[in-house]
Amino acid sequence: MLGNKQAEEAIVANETENEGNREESKEIEDTSGLNLKSFLWHGGSAWDAWFSCASNQVAQVLLTLPYSFSQLGFLSGILFQIFYGLVGSWTAYLISVLYLEYRSRKEKENVNFKNHVIQWFEVLDGLLGPYWKAAGLAFNCTFLLFGSVIQLIACASNIYYINDHLDKRTWTYIFGACCATTVFIPSFHNYRIWSFLGLGMTTYTAWYLTIAALAHGQVDHVKHSAPQKLELYFTGATNILYTFGGHAVTVEIMHAMWKPQKFKYIYLIATLYVFTLTLPSASAVYWAFGDQLLDHSNAFSLLPKTRWRDTAVILMLIHQFITFGFACTPLYFVWEKVIGMHDTKSIFLRALARLPVVIPIWFLAIVFPFFGPINSAVGALLVSFTVYIIPSVAHMLTYRKASARQNAAEKPPKFLPSWTGMYVINIFIVGWVLVLGFGFGGWASMTNFVKQVDSFGLFAKCYQCKPPAPHHH
């Protein structure tokens, strides 16, 4: 009887897989050929996922990493980047495994996801129950909300270096209106061209920062005194923890793939490429300016105004618009599901329904206009749980029983073929991030954040702007 039951399950699973493959083939056929709209608009390949991961991982953080180096010093800055990059890749792998587990279980129950985008909180709900769903939803949505806020603040901060006739708060109003147009992009399928362009833009900016800093040379009496204070040290470390914590959209990127099984190592390969951008640029700018960066969280503020710098600023502005869309799209999905609009096929109706999501983001960007300290605070209080702790604990609980391990949709990776080994790594990550990321990092970043509020106040009109030139009467 047991054998017959297993055979029946295998047949059902096989039929489901064949049906999925037929749907994928149909979709690929529909989006193939010389149709320009399909080429630019419909992305679901492993390459699309790689571009999305790499493009989404570094945006405005590229400009704050030299600031982190001024808090950490060269050695700690480089080591933390490599460490958190690898840890982030591991937890992205865990998320992908849990997604595949959830999807395979649901497909055995003949659940159809044709008009439904699976999200991380749904994976947690399906595998571990409603309390985990609530935790995943709370942390993920808050993280994405502040991630979107940071993009808006960074847009205003960057454009100010090209045009300072308007203050940063006015630029925030303008870019809030521009970024609201992301409500028209239906899903991550439709980010193909944007992801490709976004990565090109951050690549240019990273190498501009590196070359411009080396060409500028070291400022007079340059000092590299970091690390000096524990508070600054852990603030910098937490900003790097945030840098490699762009997993809040991992499940949505996977769901947009024609074959999500291929995602497993994509995030790691994306991270290795990101290292070629972040390590040289942060090191070169810190080498050139040293301790001056402690008062300049945006690296553009110290580099001389040239057409190369202005090009980098404009490219980063466009990329921040793309990253805003990346961070906001999962929030749009959640909101659509809450109000019952997720199955609606009309792009205009969905866009109209999504607009209320943009308004609180716009408001918060005007209230807290300092994105360097916000990066660290978000990293310590939200990313530590969303990206590192919750996936590690969820993976351990999902496979705690021998039967779950035996029937797992994805077995342990080839380089670590033991479940015990996976548990050891997961426990280490939870302990490390809980103590150093959330504990020390939370204390340091919140102390720093409160200082910024005290020194500049909420609704600051122009944070870290040059004082106006004195008038001669």
Side-chain angles (χ1 to χ4, degrees):
M1 286 294 289
L2 187 62
N4 290 340
K5 190 179 176 186
Q6 285 177 340
E8 281 171 18
E9 283 180 2
I11 289 165
V12 170
N14 198 29
E15 283 175 0
T16 308
E17 190 178 340
N18 289 339
E19 191 181 329
N21 288 340
R22 282 195 293 274
E23 279 181 16
E24 283 166 11
S25 303
K26 188 173 183 292
E27 190 174 354
I28 292 165
E29 281 168 22
D30 291 343
T31 58
S32 62
L34 298 174
N35 186 333
L36 185 64
K37 182 188 170 188
S38 296
F39 174 72
L40 298 176
W41 193 244
H42 293 285
S45 68
W47 277 105
D48 287 308
W50 182 82
F51 277 115
S52 291
C53 288
S55 171
N56 187 44
Q57 207 172 99
V58 282
Q60 95 299 332
V61 171
L62 199 62
L63 310 175
T64 63
L65 283 173
Y67 168 62
S68 296
F69 269 50
S70 71
Q71 297 167 320
L72 291 164
F74 278 115
L75 182 63
S76 291
I78 292 167
L79 290 177
F80 269 122
Q81 275 203 47
I82 294 169
F83 175 71
Y84 281 126
L86 296 175
V87 170
S89 300
W90 174 257
T91 52
Y93 168 76
L94 297 181
I95 291 171
S96 72
V97 167
L98 293 172
Y99 167 85
L100 293 171
E101 182 68 39
Y102 169 77
R103 187 159 180 170
S104 71
R105 290 185 189 182
K106 287 294 176 186
E107 284 176 348
K108 282 174 186 173
E109 297 168 13
N110 292 326
V111 177
N112 190 347
F113 293 109
K114 192 172 183 185
N115 293 320
H116 183 93
V117 176
I118 298 173
Q119 292 188 267
W120 177 226
F121 69 90
E122 292 167 321
V123 172
L124 291 172
D125 184 28
L127 297 176
L128 297 169
Y131 291 113
W132 280 85
K133 173 187 177 179
L137 197 56
F139 278 108
N140 233 34
C141 288
T142 314
F143 170 34
L144 289 167
L145 179 80
F146 279 100
S148 306
V149 168
I150 287 164
Q151 300 310 320
L152 272 191
I153 299 168
C155 282
S157 176
N158 290 346
I159 192 68
Y160 184 78
Y161 297 121
I162 292 182
N163 183 337
D164 58 5
H165 296 303
L166 298 176
D167 59 73
K168 290 182 184 178
R169 188 167 67 196
T170 306
W171 280 119
T172 306
Y173 292 135
I174 293 166
F175 277 101
C178 295
C179 288
T181 58
T182 57
V183 296
F184 289 102
I185 302 175
S187 76
F188 284 99
H189 268 304
N190 314 115
Y191 272 97
R192 167 175 276 182
I193 192 66
W194 293 114
S195 298
F196 177 76
L197 291 173
L199 191 58
M201 292 164 188
T202 46
T203 301
Y204 172 90
T205 304
W207 286 106
Y208 157 73
L209 289 173
T210 307
I211 294 163
L214 294 173
H216 180 279
Q218 291 185 312
V219 294
D220 293 336
H221 311 296
V222 67
K223 288 182 181 176
H224 299 96
S225 53
Q228 276 185 311
K229 297 178 184 173
L230 269 181
E231 178 196 316
L232 291 176
Y233 187 83
F234 285 109
T235 304
T238 313
N239 188 40
I240 294 179
L241 176 140
Y242 172 82
T243 304
F244 295 97
H247 309 14
V249 293
T250 301
V251 171
E252 288 84 357
I253 290 171
M254 276 188 80
H255 191 81
M257 292 176 72
W258 294 316
K259 293 183 179 175
Q261 298 84 355
K262 290 186 175 181
F263 184 85
K264 284 182 287 187
Y265 302 115
I266 283 174
Y267 199 92
L268 174 62
I269 299 164
T271 300
L272 295 177
Y273 179 78
V274 166
F275 283 155
T276 69
L277 307 181
T278 58
L279 289 169
S281 60
S283 302
V285 175
Y286 179 52
W287 170 82
F289 298 101
D291 289 357
Q292 282 188 21
L293 283 158
L294 287 168
D295 300 317
H296 297 81
S297 56
N298 189 323
F300 281 145
S301 62
L302 288 171
L303 289 162
K305 183 177 169 62
T306 63
R307 64 177 185 218
W308 299 105
R309 192 193 76 166
D310 287 355
T311 303
V313 171
I314 291 163
L315 291 180
M316 283 306 284
L317 283 172
I318 300 168
H319 185 262
Q320 275 151 356
F321 164 79
I322 297 165
T323 310
F324 181 92
F326 263 109
C328 251
T329 300
L331 291 176
Y332 295 151
F333 292 155
V334 173
W335 178 244
E336 285 168 3
K337 289 169 186 175
V338 168
I339 63 172
M341 293 283 285
H342 191 56
D343 295 336
T344 307
K345 291 188 177 179
S346 166
I347 289 176
F348 291 100
L349 273 177
R350 286 178 74 183
L352 204 60
R354 289 171 168 190
L355 275 175
V357 176
V358 181
I359 294 163
I361 293 168
W362 208 349
F363 177 73
L364 287 168
I366 294 159
V367 178
F368 303 109
F370 18 87
F371 74 85
I374 288 181
N375 275 359
S376 299
V378 168
L381 305 179
L382 298 172
V383 176
S384 56
F385 280 94
T386 305
V387 170
Y388 299 98
I389 294 171
I390 290 177
S392 301
V393 176
H395 186 273
M396 289 191 286
L397 291 178
T398 301
Y399 297 109
R400 66 191 181 278
K401 292 180 181 174
S403 57
R405 295 194 293 273
Q406 193 175 346
N407 299 316
E410 286 289 324
K411 301 297 182 194
K414 289 178 183 175
F415 64 85
L416 191 74
S418 152
W419 285 100
T420 307
M422 293 192 78
Y423 269 73
V424 168
I425 291 176
N426 290 344
I427 290 166
F428 169 75
I429 290 170
V430 171
W432 177 281
V433 175
L434 205 54
V435 174
L436 293 180
F438 178 71
F440 285 101
W443 159 73
S445 57
M446 287 313 294
T447 307
N448 188 27
F449 186 79
V450 170
K451 279 181 185 172
Q452 301 293 340
V453 174
D454 287 344
S455 58
F456 289 94
L458 302 176
F459 297 97
K461 195 171 185 181
C462 211
Y463 170 72
Q464 284 189 347
C465 297
K466 292 175 185 174
H471 291 287
H472 297 285
H473 296 290

